[in-house]
Amino acid sequence: LPKLTAGFKIVRQAYAHAVAVAADGKVTYACFRKSCGERMSLEAESDTLRELWNNLPGVSDKVLVSHADSVIMYMVIYLLDGITKRRTITNPEARKCLQLVEQSFMFFDSTADGCIERKELAYALKSGTKVWGRNTSKTLADHLFEQLSWTKEGRITFEEFLVGMERIVMDM
């Protein structure tokens, strides 16, 4: 949990910096791009960021970027870096946090279909895994599932898992 907290703290601080830089406190896509750099633990001139900025179809510079959007962008950057062997995210704590979230999702998604179903989460938690230092139960699995599944469609997407885990970890 400390590694997740430390990494998500970096991401939250980065978004807070973008809010502070924004003239009216609202972070637009253009503002988010401009505020990338050391304060955001991103290598501002990296090929990964250039590829990301240039390949988001239909995203206007005026589109608002929420905190959840920024968390997702960090993960996309992390995943792109993994494919290309780059290090756009300069902070090791942020990289480790994103790596743990990715690995956790893959652990829970035992069918590797890109979503975690309630039964997968319950089975993984029953397998002896300790969550936050405690033994798990069906009640904990149900509670965690409800916290992470926004659409209530009986499965948790990677986006829901990522943003939900950030919220749970940082609100503890």
Side-chain angles (χ1 to χ4, degrees):
L1 192 59
K3 291 178 183 178
L4 288 174
T5 303
F8 281 138
K9 184 177 180 183
I10 298 298
V11 175
R12 281 203 175 182
Q13 288 171 343
Y15 187 73
H17 173 69
V19 169
V21 170
D24 58 0
K26 294 182 181 176
V27 180
T28 63
Y29 183 58
C31 175
F32 186 81
R33 284 195 335 257
K34 286 178 188 172
S35 62
C36 287
E38 281 193 32
R39 289 289 305 259
M40 294 188 77
S41 298
L42 297 173
E43 185 184 310
E45 300 300 319
S46 77
D47 290 336
T48 300
L49 286 181
R50 197 171 4 271
E51 290 166 9
L52 181 63
W53 303 153
N54 292 333
N55 290 304
L56 289 175
V59 177
S60 155
D61 281 352
K62 295 179 182 179
V63 169
L64 293 179
V65 176
S66 70
H67 171 71
D69 295 333
S70 72
V71 172
I72 293 165
M73 280 197 249
Y74 267 87
M75 181 56 84
V76 168
I77 292 164
Y78 167 78
L79 293 171
L80 286 173
D81 276 356
I83 294 167
T84 60
K85 307 290 188 242
R86 297 177 186 147
R87 287 266 171 140
T88 303
I89 300 172
T90 59
N91 185 290
E93 291 172 320
R95 276 196 317 273
K96 184 64 177 173
C97 169
L98 296 169
Q99 177 188 25
L100 288 170
V101 171
E102 177 190 23
Q103 290 171 342
S104 298
F105 184 85
M106 291 187 313
F107 172 76
F108 289 124
D109 181 19
S110 61
T111 59
D113 64 354
C115 294
I116 301 170
E117 295 181 25
R118 186 181 295 271
K119 64 183 178 188
E120 288 177 304
L121 183 63
Y123 180 77
L125 291 177
K126 283 186 204 175
S127 69
T129 304
K130 287 191 174 187
V131 177
W132 298 302
R134 294 181 284 179
N135 288 330
T136 58
S137 67
K138 184 179 180 328
T139 306
L140 177 61
D142 287 340
H143 179 71
L144 188 56
F145 194 88
E146 293 305 316
Q147 291 291 312
L148 296 174
S149 178
W150 305 336
T151 60
K152 308 300 181 205
E153 294 177 357
R155 58 195 175 117
I156 301 166
T157 65
F158 185 65
E159 176 184 359
E160 291 172 322
F161 185 79
L162 170 64
V163 175
M165 288 304 295
E166 190 271 349
R167 187 185 66 244
I168 289 169
V169 167
M170 294 307 291
D171 290 348
M172 287 184 83

